């Protein structure tokens, strides 16, 4: 992932690297190249401009022109700014309540069901009692998909195959968890191919009826700028707590990871990097910045 952004950034920065001395002209040209690399990687233009303005200002402020290794110093500044852009600190999910409820929302195909399974597996490995709730009543295969995953990871899946009422399934799942001593319920909801009023209303209704302590918005990182727009729409309706970026094992250009925090002002909490149940990582902005810079 990020190969092309990595290449372009490194190419931009390389012009400063071996130099003993640089001028403000070098800094301006390199900064411009960095901006171009970010925009090419699908980073929102405004975000790319803001960050590169900061990089240039910081570079000149820190007397980079007379530094012993100006290139190294520049790389450090870019790293710091990329980290800050992605939120600075890693942020954990909120697990509160008995049981704690985690609501998963996003478009169809974004990777919600897969992620629900992965999160359940991660929490199970931490020794927690988890229940998965299948509330995607529109996609017939969704319930079976979750059941297969549940079996694979050894986590119970609550479903009502004959019900067409997602809110009541969610409520019943929470009641079932309480009765059976499960401490966390992960609720997988329905998605549509595009943002749709009926879907939004349904997720909102589920939210108000089961009061999750954490709402995670799942988005396919391959969708670039669209990922950011979809995040904005979901956030306006759901006021979610965190973002899950999926399919970062593909050739996503990375723009979503870099712009989403800035545009939506919600932290990325997990990244999903494959179809296997183990392919889930907590999101660390500094590690991601290091990965991007190679
Ligand atoms: P949902 O409609 O949002 O529930 O999406 P699914 O969980 O069914 O995922 C849609 C497709 O993307 C499936 O074929 C998944 O196996 C695949 N998928 C999900 N997450 C990832 C990921 O991180 N990497 C890759 N390569 N594929 C993924």
């Amino acid at each position: 992932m990020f190969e092309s952004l990595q290449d372009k950034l490194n190419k931009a920065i390389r012009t400063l690297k071996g130099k003993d001395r640089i001028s403000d002209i070098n800094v301006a040209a390199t900064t411009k190249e960095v901006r171009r690399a970010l925009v090419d990687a699908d980073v929102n233009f405004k975000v790319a401009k803001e960050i590169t303005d900061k990089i240039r200002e910081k570079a000149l402020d820190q007397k980079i022109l007379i530094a012993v290794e100006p290139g190294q110093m520049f790389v450090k500044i870019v790293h710091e700014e990329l980290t800050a852009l992605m939120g600075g600190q890693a942020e954990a999910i909120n697990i509160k309540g008995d049981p704690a409820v985690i609501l998963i929302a996003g478009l169809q195909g974004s990777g919600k069901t897969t992620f629900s399974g992965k999160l359940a597996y991660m929490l199970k490995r931490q020794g927690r009692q988890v229940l998965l709730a299948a509330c995607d009543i529109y996609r017939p295969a969704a319930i079976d998909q979750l059941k297969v995953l549940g079996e694979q990871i050894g986590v119970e899946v609550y479903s009502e195959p004959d019900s067409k009422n997602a809110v009541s399934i969610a409520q019943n799942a929470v009641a079932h968890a309480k009765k059976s001593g499960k401490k966390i319920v992960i609720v997988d909801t329905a998605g549509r191919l595009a943002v749709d009023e009926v879907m939004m209303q349904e997720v909102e209704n589920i939210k108000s009826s089961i009061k999750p302590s954490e709402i995670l918005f799942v988005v396919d990182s391959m969708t670039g700028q669209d990922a950011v727009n979809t995040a904005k729409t979901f956030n306006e309706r759901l006021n979610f707590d965190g973002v899950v970026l999926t399919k970062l094992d593909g050739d996503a250009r990375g723009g979503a990871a870099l712009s989403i925090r800035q545009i939506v002002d919600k932290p990325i909490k997990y990244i999903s990097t494959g179809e296997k149940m183990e392919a889930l990582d907590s999101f660390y902005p500094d590690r991601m910045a290091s990965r991007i810079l190679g």
Side-chain angles (χ1 to χ4, degrees), residues 107-114 118 139 145 246-247 249 272-275:
L107 292 181
Q108 186 177 317
S110 59
K112 279 185 309 300
T113 303
T114 310
K118 288 179 179 182
R139 196 161 61 89
Q145 188 187 342
T246 63
K247 309 187 193 179
D249 49 316
S272 165
T273 52
E275 294 180 80

Side-chain angles (χ1 to χ4, degrees), residues 44-294:
N44 172 284
F45 182 78
K46 220 175 113 223
V47 173
K49 183 169 177 340
E50 269 169 28
I51 179 179
T52 44
D53 283 350
K54 261 193 223 149
I55 290 169
R56 189 181 52 234
E57 206 177 293
K58 232 172 158 180
L60 295 174
D61 245 25
Q62 294 185 6
K63 304 198 171 46
I64 195 170
L65 304 183
I66 52 167
V68 181
E69 290 191 73
Q72 296 295 11
M73 196 163 175
F74 192 82
V75 172
K76 193 168 158 271
I77 292 169
V78 175
H79 188 277
E80 280 167 9
E81 290 306 316
L82 286 176
T83 304
L85 182 66
M86 291 184 283
Q89 302 292 320
E91 291 201 33
I93 53 170
N94 301 297
I95 299 177
K96 276 192 210 102
D98 186 20
V101 177
I102 304 174
L103 183 65
I104 313 298
L107 292 181
Q108 186 177 317
S110 59
K112 279 185 309 300
T113 303
T114 310
F115 169 73
S116 299
K118 288 179 179 182
L119 182 62
Y121 188 44
M122 186 184 256
L123 293 170
K124 183 191 165 183
R125 278 178 296 167
Q126 291 169 5
R128 299 178 194 258
Q129 298 288 322
V130 189
L131 178 71
L132 279 161
C135 291
D136 184 348
I137 50 174
Y138 304 101
R139 196 161 61 89
I143 296 178
D144 291 337
Q145 188 187 342
L146 200 59
K147 279 188 170 160
V148 169
L149 293 178
E151 240 161 63
Q152 199 182 318
I153 59 177
V155 168
E156 186 188 351
V157 175
Y158 182 87
S159 70
E160 297 179 19
D162 298 324
S163 169
K164 286 282 165 244
N165 185 341
V167 173
S168 108
I169 302 173
Q171 285 171 329
N172 293 342
V174 172
H176 178 77
K178 217 168 206 161
K179 238 181 8 214
S180 56
K182 302 284 194 315
K183 298 298 178 201
I184 301 175
V185 186
I186 299 173
V187 181
D188 181 23
T189 64
R192 303 289 167 95
L193 289 174
V195 172
D196 163 302
E197 182 52 34
V198 177
M199 168 191 73
M200 280 296 182
Q201 193 58 54
E202 183 179 279
V203 189
E204 269 185 311
N205 292 345
I206 296 178
K207 173 184 173 182
S208 50
S209 74
I210 55 172
K211 308 218 167 4
S213 63
E214 178 79 22
I215 303 177
L216 290 170
F217 166 70
V218 178
V219 69
D220 179 343
S221 59
M222 309 274 281
T223 57
Q225 300 267 354
D226 277 348
V228 180
N229 295 332
T230 313
K232 240 166 122 177
T233 312
F234 269 82
N235 193 41
E236 277 157 19
R237 294 294 292 268
L238 283 180
N239 188 22
F240 55 69
D241 303 289
V243 178
V244 178
L245 277 183
T246 63
K247 309 187 193 179
L248 272 171
D249 49 316
D251 57 357
R253 290 188 283 176
L258 286 166
S259 332
I260 235 164
R261 173 66 199 239
Q262 200 72 6
I263 304 259
V264 186
D265 198 24
K266 291 288 165 70
I268 299 170
K269 295 193 172 174
Y270 293 104
I271 51 172
S272 165
T273 52
E275 294 180 80
K276 292 217 175 81
M277 284 295 100
E278 295 81 11
L280 183 68
D281 291 305
S282 295
F283 181 76
Y284 295 95
D286 57 338
R287 285 189 205 166
M288 185 59 88
S290 302
R291 230 147 134 175
I292 290 171
L293 287 173

